[in-house]
Amino acid sequence: MVNSFQVQDRFAAGAQYIDGQLRPGSSGKTQDVVDPATGKVVFSYETAGAADVDAAVAAARAAFPGWSAATPGERSDALHRFAAVLAERAEEFAYAESLQCGKPIKLSREFDVPGTVDNASFFAGAARHLQGQSAGEYSGDHTSYVRREPIGVVGSIAPWNYPLQMAAWKVLPAIAAGNTIVLKPAEITPLTSLMFAQAATEAGIPDGVVNIVNGLGKEAGEHLVGHPDVVMTSFTGSTAVGKRVAEIATDTVKRIHLELGGKAPFLVFDDADLEAAVHGAVAGSLINTGQDCTAATRAYVQRPLYDAFVEGVAALMSTLRLGDPFDESTDLGPLVSHAQRDRVAAFVERARGYARVVTGGAAPEGDGAYYLPTLIADAAQDSEIVQAEIFGPVLVVLPFDSDDEGIALANDTPYGLASSAWTRDVFRANRATREIQAGCVWVNDHIPIISEMPHGGYKASGFGKDMSVYSFEEYTQVKHVMYDNTAVARKDWHRTIFGDR
Ligand code: NAD
């Protein structure tokens, strides 16, 4: 375990990473980073103000001509080196991620960090495969082709639930395509994004290509989104803040990519493997203490399996080991903050008035921001606990009768990020994958992601894709180039302006 690095010493120069250098923020405000497992402050830093955002955007702008002119092969080489540096530093990243988020160390080590390394190596390869449409003589008299070009300085904003992976998802496709970037992580989890940017520099990615501003959403965030030299806003976070970000970005005519909240349905048909569904529901709802935008949050179970499913999930939930995130046997860490824990607890308290808490529903004694894995039954489809994003270790379970009803219920929230269908019947599975309105439908599993496949929402979960080559649609623009092939002064089509046929 790497516990030798002292965060305060490591970032003594400040928590802004601009033009390849750490520096302090100039807002005049200080932000604490708290270990949610203990409630202790592990780091304090001066947040970014408008001047720091301006400096970061200026650095990104200055780096753009050189980086965008690098060949795909050169960018690919740099990204391969980046992946190697991230892999070398794996244990340090896992430690810092668990410290600032309270994630069990086994989750940081086996999911967050390897996923980030894999993303970097995926984009190292993908950088060489940016494609435009093939050339052709579509008019007869001209040759047309499409150039796929980077767009410029990207401004990105990320949430606190997977800070390292969110930095990777924002930065890697943007820079693989030749853009430069200013990323604002969530203010309570600044550490691994800074380390990620430092690793980029160590890998030889030029100064100014990757910049990090750590500051408050209303201050640094809004200034970044409204900045006239930023051509695109890529935002991951809540739907409420996403709407605000979209408003500001629209005012300055920016390209917008929004990855917003989720309320994933988990649809269990009566022919499903019950044991698999029970395990899938517990793992899928409690990963990262339920602070996962794709987490299973609403289990709909066809009536014949309903009682056994509720009993099985409650029993399995009660076996999970809550504890010190750095203990390798800990299954469930605290929530990211005491404020988030209290928010989750308030949802459950309100639900007691109209639903039944089957298991959990309480915060254990102690200083950490822990909350017991919670299963809620007997809630109405239109109730808050079924409709709103809770972002904690809380699963709601509801019965359904016909397949039509199950699919309709699964689609009945404003969100559409992820979903799963549990069945051994290929026709039911195929129907569910067609009819569920979400950016991802898993069949007989829930949660796995992979660099080659797109991640993004339908409906109020946003638009645009992270990961995969589809993300290049966000981070590039296409240009039509058209050559005249006739070499005549008076072209045939000119007759529409002067002369006759
Ligand atoms: P949040 O919306 O509160 O904050 C996200 C980011 O926006 C933070 O960096 C914050 O500082 C910044 N911000 C806040 N107000 C702002 C403003 N006015 N202008 C500009 N920036 C502002 O979200 P959170 O609580 O950090 O994260 C949880 C949310 O993120 C959940 O809703 C979750 O579903 C969502 N999320 C979505 C995905 C996805 O891929 N769709 C992935 C992870 C998290």
Side-chain angles (χ1 to χ4, degrees):
M1 168 83 53
V2 176
N3 51 15
S4 53
F5 89 75
Q6 294 295 323
V7 179
Q8 201 73 49
D9 294 345
R10 176 156 182 160
F11 298 112
Q16 315 303 327
Y17 196 74
I18 299 172
D19 210 13
Q21 300 285 337
L22 285 174
R23 52 164 106 167
S26 65
S27 71
K29 297 191 180 102
T30 301
Q31 171 74 39
D32 289 338
V33 178
V34 176
D35 171 359
T38 60
K40 294 203 171 97
V41 174
V42 294
F43 180 54
S44 289
Y45 69 94
E46 293 157 296
T47 58
D52 306 303
V53 174
D54 290 346
V57 172
R61 203 171 168 207
F64 180 70
W67 183 247
S68 58
T71 64
E74 287 163 346
R75 288 202 291 270
S76 171
D77 286 350
L79 286 164
H80 276 302
R81 291 194 299 272
F82 191 10
V85 174
L86 293 167
E88 273 165 32
R89 303 255 179 286
E91 195 52 25
E92 236 175 71
F93 275 105
Y95 172 78
E97 195 72 333
S98 283
L99 183 70
Q100 65 181 353
C101 301
K103 280 175 206 280
I105 191 71
K106 64 180 177 182
L107 180 66
S108 299
R109 277 190 189 140
E110 293 174 34
F111 183 63
D112 298 71
V113 178
T116 300
V117 173
D118 188 67
N119 235 247
S121 62
F122 171 78
F123 280 106
R128 299 187 88 143
H129 295 279
L130 277 164
Q131 284 169 353
Q133 206 180 345
S134 58
E137 284 66 49
Y138 301 98
S139 80
D141 285 346
H142 305 84
T143 297
S144 284
Y145 63 86
V146 165
R147 288 175 53 84
R148 188 173 281 276
E149 299 179 339
I151 53 178
V153 177
V154 175
S156 287
I157 296 186
W160 43 253
N161 59 339
Y162 291 105
L164 176 61
Q165 293 202 80
M166 292 303 106
W169 290 14
K170 296 296 174 210
V171 169
L172 292 167
I175 68 172
N179 304 286
T180 57
I181 186 164
V182 178
L183 168 71
K184 194 204 86 63
E187 52 272 30
I188 59 172
T189 53
L191 302 177
T192 46
S193 309
L194 288 172
M195 293 161 62
F196 185 77
Q198 287 178 311
T201 303
E202 199 178 325
I205 292 174
D207 292 349
V209 173
V210 181
N211 306 275
I212 308 289
V213 288
N214 278 305
L216 305 178
K218 279 218 164 297
E219 216 168 342
E222 293 204 3
H223 193 67
L224 179 61
V225 177
H227 202 293
D229 291 337
V230 171
V231 294
M232 170 180 171
T233 293
S234 172
F235 172 83
T236 298
S238 60
T239 299
V241 175
K243 285 182 190 164
R244 171 80 186 129
V245 162
E247 256 171 42
I248 304 171
T250 302
D251 236 27
T252 43
V253 199
K254 285 185 173 55
R255 185 182 281 225
I256 311 175
H257 170 203
L258 296 176
E259 298 279 358
L260 306 178
K263 187 76 184 175
F266 184 102
L267 191 56
V268 184
F269 293 98
D270 58 12
D271 66 298
D273 176 337
L274 180 65
E275 194 189 350
V278 165
H279 282 80
V282 173
S285 63
L286 298 182
I287 185 163
N288 206 32
T289 317
Q291 302 161 116
D292 183 311
C293 50
T294 64
T297 56
R298 301 176 282 140
Y300 296 99
V301 184
Q302 211 154 17
R303 196 81 62 178
L305 293 189
Y306 180 78
D307 290 339
F309 180 89
V310 173
E311 199 181 308
V313 168
L316 189 57
M317 275 186 168
S318 62
T319 66
L320 263 69
R321 298 161 296 179
L322 274 68
D324 175 3
F326 292 104
D327 181 335
E328 296 183 9
S329 65
T330 291
D331 297 319
L332 207 66
L335 285 106
V336 75
S337 65
H338 289 75
Q340 183 65 12
R341 195 266 310 271
D342 295 347
R343 186 174 172 272
V344 169
F347 272 110
V348 175
E349 287 316 306
R350 289 194 292 277
R352 283 184 203 282
Y354 55 81
R356 176 166 64 96
V357 178
V358 181
T359 188
E365 293 282 304
D367 296 332
Y370 291 88
Y371 197 75
L372 294 176
T374 299
L375 181 65
I376 293 183
D378 304 339
Q381 172 66 16
D382 62 358
S383 61
E384 180 190 56
I385 204 90
V386 177
Q387 292 291 323
E389 187 180 44
I390 299 167
F391 230 54
V394 179
L395 177 66
V396 189
V397 58
L398 298 96
F400 70 93
D401 290 303
S402 68
D403 290 16
D404 287 352
E405 185 193 6
I407 289 176
L409 290 169
N411 283 332
D412 179 32
T413 72
Y415 296 110
L417 187 59
S419 61
S420 62
W422 296 73
T423 175
R424 288 182 273 206
D425 178 332
V426 69
F427 297 101
R428 273 176 157 164
N430 195 12
R431 178 179 176 196
T433 59
R434 278 197 319 273
E435 295 188 14
I436 294 179
Q437 296 151 11
C440 172
V441 185
W442 288 283
V443 178
N444 297 327
D445 207 344
H446 195 114
I447 287 298
I449 48 172
I450 195 78
S451 301
E452 287 82 354
M453 289 291 129
H455 167 90
Y458 279 27
K459 306 194 314 192
S461 293
F463 46 80
K465 299 294 175 190
D466 284 324
M467 303 203 292
S468 80
V469 291
Y470 290 95
S471 63
F472 286 143
E473 299 302 325
E474 320 306 328
Y475 295 104
T476 57
Q477 52 197 347
V478 291
K479 180 184 280 172
H480 173 207
V481 178
M482 194 176 212
Y483 283 85
D484 167 59
N485 291 335
T486 63
V488 297
R490 193 164 174 143
K491 301 183 197 305
D492 190 41
W493 71 269
H494 290 178
R495 70 180 184 273
T496 59
I497 314 296
F498 39 75
D500 305 314
R501 180 178 277 277

